[in-house]
Amino acid sequence: MKSAMSLMLIYFRVANGSDDRRYSFIPVWRLGLGGVGSKYGIDTVSVLDETMINAIDGKIIDVAREWKGK
């Protein structure tokens, strides 16, 4: 069975450029294969395999930089 591309509007955590201890949640369009798994009964998605687009200004979000592997 092949996975279909999905587009979903979500809130994504982004880091504050001047203070690593602060962050914001912004609306983004998440485009990806929808590779959802389950861990502890909670659905999980590999964000590194997805494209995140800022829903406010349309810019691509650098997920690796914002997510920082956490």
Side-chain angles (χ1 to χ4, degrees):
M1 183 173 157
K2 292 186 177 182
S3 296
M5 294 292 282
S6 65
L7 180 66
M8 179 182 270
L9 184 63
I10 64 168
Y11 285 91
F12 185 73
R13 187 180 89 168
V14 294
N16 182 316
S18 60
D19 185 353
D20 287 341
R21 296 173 295 165
R22 293 180 183 240
Y23 53 90
S24 299
F25 287 89
I26 61 169
V28 300
W29 288 106
R30 181 178 77 191
L31 176 63
L33 293 175
V36 176
S38 182
K39 184 174 184 178
Y40 309 115
I42 300 170
D43 289 341
T44 58
V45 176
S46 176
V47 296
L48 296 176
D49 294 331
E50 310 229 340
T51 300
M52 304 287 186
I53 304 165
N54 186 323
I56 297 170
D57 63 12
K59 293 181 182 175
I60 302 289
I61 296 172
D62 182 351
V63 175
R65 190 186 94 212
E66 299 296 343
W67 190 53
K68 296 183 180 179
K70 295 181 181 176

